[in-house]
Amino acid sequence: TASTSDQPIQWRFAIEETIGSVQHQYAMKFKELVEERSNGEIEVTIYPYGTLGTSDQITELVDMEVVQFAMASPGHLGKLIPEVQVFLLHFLFSDDDEINNQVLNKDPRLQKTFAELYARKRLKLLSIFSEGWQVWTTKDPIHRPEDFEGVKMRVMTSPLLIAAYNAYGASPTPLPYSEVYSALQLNMIDGQENPVFAIQEMNFYEVTDWMIFARHAPFITTAVTNREFFDSLPAERQELVTGVVADLNDYILKVQREFNQERLSLIRKNKPDLEIITELTPEEREAFRQASQPVRDRFIRMTGEDGRKLLEELKQTIKEYEDQQQN
Amino acid sequence: MNKLFAIIQRIEAFLLAWSIISIAALSIGNVVCRALFGFSLAFVGEVSQFLIIVVTFIGLSYAASQGRHIRMTALYDQLNPRWRKIMMVIINSLTALLMLLLAGYAFEYINTVRFLDTISPVLQVPLYLIYLFVPLGFILSAIQYGLTVFRNLTAPDVYISYSQKDEYETTVVGEV
Amino acid sequence: MEALLIIGIMIILLLLGFPMKVPLIVAALAVLLVFHPDVTPAVLVQQMIGGIKPAALIAVPMFIFAADIMTRGNSANRLLDLVTAFVGHLRGGLPIASAISCTLFGAMSGSTQATVVAIGGPLRPQLLKAGYPDSFTTALIINASDIALLIPPSIGMIVYGVVSGTSIGELFIAGIGPGLLVLLLFCIYCWIASIRMQIPRQEKTDAATRRTAARRALLPLGFPLIIIGGIYSGIFSPTEAAAISVLYAAILEIVFFRDLTVKDIPDIALSTGLITAVVFILVGAGAAFSWVISFVQLPDALINNWLGLTPDSGYWTIMLTIAIAYFIGCMFVDPIVVILILTPIFHPVAIAAGIDPVLVGIVVTLQVAIGSATPPFGCDIFTAIAVFRRPYLEVIRGTPPFIAILLFAGILLIAFPSISLFLRNLAFG
Ligand code: NA
Ligand code: NA
């Protein structure tokens, strides 16, 4: 068989996070399944964060076919494909992970819409998954938009995120990730948002007093490959990739939940007096949802008709799956 | 030749000085704004980044015209003027070629950025426009290194740049 | 194989005297062309641009700008006068004054080169006149200037913070203790050396001279207070502190001292721009080089197979390996380049071993300072050759005692982490 040929083919997979992250877990399982199912004809090398560059650079590397696979999260990819910034909008998704997983990966219509968006940039979308909910850590409790008045929140440099926190009355402060801890400690900023695993890893909970699960947005990332590379593969290899990716969707949801659960227990153990708001009441969520409406208009202004249709389609699909769940 | 050289140098000097002054003015404005009025000017970081690219790559050529490089002279210093001249011709020709090669690669990279249509998040400026300073800097410095070769081949002394003789006052300074 | 090609190209081109960016880029290019023809070298340009893009790096030209304004103006001289007025008459007073002045000026400047020019320039003739030998004087100036790298602000720390993701604010504060330790050790050595060289003591200045000197130096002394105080109290980030330092320097020299006018600023900015470009092109080339060695996974091979370093290797093994690696690296290439290339290799091991990233950063900064004043190619040596126009051998003759002292300080920093971390913990605890 072909597996006796001397050198295995090299595929390179660049991720945006460090070893031990949800993305790394995804890439490792991808490597394991691809190598196993290709009978060792393919070898996958994983490049964790910091080895090949920033998120922006990694996407360019996929495009130049320096790496074949990569993670591309909307915060960065939004600069190339403005429509994917839809994932940054607040209170859009269901507060049930499982429903979001189905919407993002199993709905054929949405799959087609997204595939076309990515194809414009010579990318092939493999999967969309959540790495857990964005969680606020702050110095004071937050229940309503008014509670954000004057709060200096650190956000990624994305116009929609800045607009969102402006809409709540906060003053969004862009800051490099590595300065967030010190800035919280010195009260240069009052809060930040990140998924639980990042909050634990960077010890942000040590320098804030409240942790608020508003479930305002999942921290979403996407796995991509170079479209020309993918199309040039023989049919069996293409099926190999799509098969592995399909199996990974449920796997990564499980991993993500376990990861964030474990890290949350660790945080609780390390700082027992940390105040945690595990959820907001439906009224409180509604107040935030209302306050964040202007951000959706902004999104539509930024992305035009395509963006408006996508947003509608996404809202529609989420509602359909939520209704199904109810019945 | 001398006139062209002088004009390029003046434009480069202007860009360098005013980029630095603008970065300073913008950064100061941003701190003052945040400290006094509580809001950050989001475009400041972006513009500063653009200007740093201008400073680095235009400065690359300006530094070459001034003979300002970080390099090791331990062996070179032991040579007699004749051999120094030969080394200068070799070093500068090869460096000029490398700069041209890099200019080519820069255009290739810019093509990718242009295809991806990457825009800066705040000001929505297409990044490839800013990146055009990169191949420009490489080409201008290739010209400077070429001029240095020309000067060494046509004038009696050893030159480390088109206008600078190889003397201790002007050589190599480690900057950190 | 890749490693051999890289090392071979680097050494040959460096020895031939190519500008330092050339060996870095050619070595990176050669690896791609020979071993990975499927990878376009355009990626090197991507990494060069990416290398100079991080927002925190904006602080580098700003700190250089502030130092340039003060070097061109009168702040440095005022500090010098103050220090000589108070310690000039002691045994070894002049060299001690040089070391203290370098430290004070270092608290306003991120660059050792600016310090060599600002302090070494005016003090060197005085030291020679007082009877200190040339080799001692030059060695003192280049090594004392290295304190500028440890005392905040520091360009080395900014780059280290950017590459490793360590807080620059914490690195800055943690550098103060080690900076003062090195200053103390140098002062002791200067005292002993001046006794052995039998240099006569200088006359003591009177109280009026001292008062005048103190009054004249008051405003420049506010500089470190504003930088450290501003960062520590959370008023601004280290990057913003750099902008404030430019503002402060300009107001000082233009409004208060009237040494400069607004018309002088473009000329100073040009010199800042030139230095920035020379540093940043190395940052870019270093980033491209570093990308290629990551891509071919040399760091893994180096750490696991050659050095056998694991997070369980123990504190001393890890710290000593790191210290030696940076020290040797800086004997050959520019400190910025060494930080860019070695940090992604060694930082993860140290972190996995649970060593405080700030401590690692400080030890690295010290090693980088030592290595850059160490033969054969430490770039401080070439700074001194260029600034003072002295031959290579004379410049390096006086350095061994200083390097020994610095290495001893390095051991102390590793043995007693609280030298670095005490102030950090106080400020951020
Ligand atoms: Na300093
Ligand atoms: Na140095």
Side-chain angles (χ1 to χ4, degrees), chain A residues 184-200:
Chain A
L184 283 168
Q185 199 166 30
L186 297 173
N187 295 316
M188 198 189 135
I189 51 171
D190 310 311
Q192 61 87 37
E193 63 166 6
N194 260 300
V196 175
F197 72 87
I199 292 172
Q200 190 273 327

Side-chain angles (χ1 to χ4, degrees), chain A residues 47 52 57 60 182 185, chain C residues 46 167-168 170 291 295 428:
Chain A
Y47 291 98
L52 294 190
Q57 291 173 330
E60 290 170 356
S182 304
Q185 199 166 30
Chain C
Q46 180 206 33
S167 161
I168 295 166
E170 291 183 37
W291 186 91
F295 182 75
F428 289 84

Side-chain angles (χ1 to χ4, degrees), chain A residues 112-152:
Chain A
K112 190 160 164 289
T113 311
F114 279 116
E116 280 165 7
L117 286 174
Y118 278 69
R120 288 184 200 162
K121 300 297 174 186
R122 220 183 280 157
L123 298 174
K124 181 178 167 52
L125 176 64
L126 295 175
S127 61
I128 309 175
F129 60 95
S130 160
E131 298 187 44
W133 292 99
Q134 291 278 28
V135 177
W136 295 324
T137 68
T138 53
K139 313 246 159 157
D140 293 300
I142 304 272
H143 286 284
R144 281 161 295 274
E146 301 89 86
D147 296 333
F148 262 123
E149 196 58 52
V151 172
K152 284 182 264 163

Side-chain angles (χ1 to χ4, degrees), chain A residues 152 183 186-189, chain B residues 30-32 34-36, chain C residues 225-238 240-241 244:
Chain A
K152 284 182 264 163
L186 297 173
N187 295 316
M188 198 189 135
I189 51 171
Chain B
N30 192 31
V31 186
V32 171
R34 206 181 51 73
L36 297 187
Chain C
L225 290 183
I226 289 182
I227 292 179
I228 301 300
I231 298 173
Y232 164 65
S233 60
I235 298 175
F236 38 72
S237 70
E240 293 174 333
I244 293 299

Side-chain angles (χ1 to χ4, degrees), chain A residues 12 45-47 50-53 56-58 60-61 64-67 175-176 178-179 181-182 185-188, chain C residues 36 38-40 42-43 46-47 50 165 167-170 231-234 236-238 240 291 294-295 297 427-428:
Chain A
R12 308 181 187 110
T45 310
I46 301 170
Y47 291 98
T51 45
L52 294 190
D56 295 345
Q57 291 173 330
I58 289 173
E60 290 170 356
L61 291 178
M64 298 193 276
E65 251 195 271
V66 174
V67 299
L175 209 65
S178 57
E179 295 296 335
Y181 185 90
S182 304
Q185 199 166 30
L186 297 173
N187 295 316
M188 198 189 135
Chain C
H36 298 278
D38 62 313
V39 172
T40 166
V43 72
Q46 180 206 33
Q47 293 301 317
S167 161
I168 295 166
E170 291 183 37
I231 298 173
Y232 164 65
S233 60
F236 38 72
S237 70
E240 293 174 333
W291 186 91
S294 289
F295 182 75
Q297 299 186 302
F428 289 84

Side-chain angles (χ1 to χ4, degrees), chain B residues 79-169:
Chain B
L79 301 174
N80 64 30
R82 191 184 139 75
W83 274 99
R84 286 191 190 186
K85 206 178 196 26
I86 293 173
M87 282 312 297
M88 271 301 159
V89 170
I90 296 175
I91 288 174
N92 283 285
S93 331
L94 292 180
T95 308
L97 283 179
L98 180 68
M99 292 298 122
L100 286 180
L101 195 61
L102 287 174
Y105 292 136
F107 281 120
E108 190 187 328
Y109 172 61
I110 286 173
N111 243 334
T112 301
V113 177
R114 205 183 142 173
F115 168 76
L116 288 174
D117 210 3
T118 318
I119 46 169
S120 70
V122 184
L123 293 175
Q124 310 272 306
V125 180
L127 283 184
Y128 80 91
L129 286 178
I130 309 292
Y131 291 174
L132 282 173
F133 277 99
V134 178
L136 179 67
F138 283 135
I139 291 171
L140 286 174
S141 38
I143 294 174
Q144 291 297 346
Y145 288 111
L147 283 171
T148 312
V149 174
F150 173 79
R151 183 46 69 87
N152 274 299
L153 291 176
T154 52
D157 292 311
V158 183
Y159 282 80
I160 55 164
S161 81
Y162 182 68
S163 60
Q164 306 276 324
K165 273 190 201 175
D166 181 19
E167 294 162 336
Y168 269 136
E169 294 97 299

Side-chain angles (χ1 to χ4, degrees), chain C residues 30 41 51 93-94 112 118 125-126 157 203 209 217 236 243 265 270 281 295 306 311 393 408-409 425:
Chain C
L94 263 185
T112 56
Q126 291 190 43
M157 287 182 194
E203 234 173 85
T209 317
F236 38 72
I265 293 294
L270 174 61
I281 202 67
F295 182 75
W306 304 344
L393 285 177
F408 174 64
N425 294 342

